[in-house]
Amino acid sequence: MSNLLVRRGDVATAQLLLQVDRWQLDWDERGDEKDLVIEVDPANMSHFTDDLLQKLRQLCQEISGRLRLGVSWVEARETLPVVGPGWRDMIHREISGERPSNQARRLQPSPRRWLEDNLAFTNEGEQRVYRLLKHRQEMVLPPEETIAIFPLPNGRIAGRTWEPDFLVTYKGRAGVLEIDGPHHNARRALDVTREHLMHDSGVAYVDRVPVEALEIREEMERVIDRFLRRLAEPR
């Protein structure tokens, strides 16, 4: 979409798309048509007007129709901040002016803050899970029986494009580890459908890290150890 806008001379709209923090596909209740959800920093949401979203919808439907992607709608929502135990200090710093104001931050490209080992993550929680997986890969498991870690891999399953949070291979089996977001409970039926599709496509085991566990290392370690233990179990 961004490249096509630039080539058509609509640089202003393409520049606005640089402010998107994350792109996500949401399936409908039947698992058929997909919506493209773009998450934007609250400071930039005012630029994503109804007119702009309508333009993006028309462009998305044009591209989707030609490529048979099944994407029928575009919507924008605010990116939820990643917070931890020090959230009070963060709020005090922002109120006291230690960060740029909303006006100063608008139309500035979002930095790729979560980078490690030349791998990009969409938030701090994903990076924390990656570090614990890497610790087991390099420090806990023997080299001849270790794991491979693939964060945010794009793939296709049963006619659909997929981006699990982590694909992990261990002892000849592939597993998917997802991080539950704040909207997980409302989409549990869809999550179950996706898990069935992954199982049917050869993924041996699927597990989830509750978003509440991201702030507690011991909880994350328990989830990861359970995931690896069950992934290693024969069917």
Side-chain angles (χ1 to χ4, degrees):
M1 289 173 62
S2 301
N3 279 289
L4 192 57
L5 285 167
V6 170
R7 291 173 184 243
R8 289 180 175 178
D10 193 350
V11 176
T13 303
Q15 185 180 14
L16 286 173
L17 291 182
L18 293 176
Q19 310 312 308
V20 174
D21 292 330
R22 180 185 175 104
W23 307 76
Q24 179 174 314
L25 290 175
D26 281 356
W27 276 259
D28 63 14
E29 294 181 356
R30 298 188 306 274
D32 296 330
E33 292 185 340
K34 298 182 284 289
D35 295 343
L36 177 62
V37 180
I38 54 178
E39 295 189 356
V40 183
D41 190 287
N44 295 325
M45 274 296 291
S46 62
H47 294 280
F48 287 79
T49 61
D50 291 339
D51 289 342
L52 174 63
L53 289 175
Q54 185 59 32
K55 178 190 293 187
L56 295 179
R57 288 165 188 150
Q58 292 174 355
L59 180 61
C60 182
Q61 290 168 4
E62 176 188 348
I63 297 172
S64 176
R66 292 171 62 178
L67 299 180
R68 299 181 180 179
L69 300 177
V71 181
S72 58
W73 192 254
V74 178
E75 65 176 272
R77 66 186 178 202
E78 293 183 343
T79 302
L80 292 177
V82 178
V83 297
W87 67 271
R88 290 181 176 84
D89 292 335
M90 181 188 70
I91 295 297
H92 284 305
R93 287 196 302 271
E94 295 199 10
I95 292 176
S96 64
E98 291 187 22
R99 57 168 283 177
S101 68
N102 285 354
Q103 287 292 331
R105 295 182 68 246
R106 285 177 178 168
L107 299 183
Q108 298 299 316
S110 300
R112 300 181 71 184
R113 291 170 289 177
W114 300 289
L115 292 171
E116 188 165 339
D117 299 331
N118 291 323
L119 299 169
F121 305 90
T122 57
N123 56 58
E124 186 179 2
E126 291 175 1
Q127 190 174 38
R128 291 178 182 177
V129 172
Y130 171 73
R131 287 173 175 171
L132 291 179
L133 286 169
K134 186 172 73 169
H135 175 73
R136 278 146 184 77
Q137 179 191 62
E138 298 181 349
M139 306 299 295
V140 177
L141 298 170
E144 66 275 10
E145 291 187 1
T146 191
I147 61 175
I149 311 165
F150 302 92
L152 301 174
N154 283 305
R156 191 166 180 81
I157 296 181
R160 303 178 186 181
T161 302
W162 216 279
E163 188 187 55
D165 293 330
F166 291 95
L167 176 69
V168 179
T169 59
Y170 185 37
K171 294 188 176 182
R173 286 156 59 89
V176 166
L177 186 61
E178 298 274 23
I179 299 175
D180 284 347
H183 306 292
H184 168 65
N185 290 336
R187 298 173 50 191
R188 181 56 187 162
L190 180 57
D191 290 336
V192 170
T193 299
R194 293 181 180 180
E195 289 180 13
H196 289 166
L197 284 173
M198 285 189 276
H199 287 308
D200 293 343
S201 301
V203 175
Y205 182 63
V206 180
D207 205 350
R208 299 182 176 276
V209 180
V211 67
E212 298 83 3
L214 296 176
E215 301 298 332
I216 307 172
R217 182 184 176 93
E218 292 78 10
E219 288 292 329
M220 282 197 297
E221 289 181 334
R222 276 195 285 270
V223 173
I224 289 173
D225 289 340
R226 179 188 66 190
F227 170 73
L228 294 178
R229 183 174 63 254
R230 294 186 177 177
L231 181 58
E233 294 174 352
R235 290 186 178 180

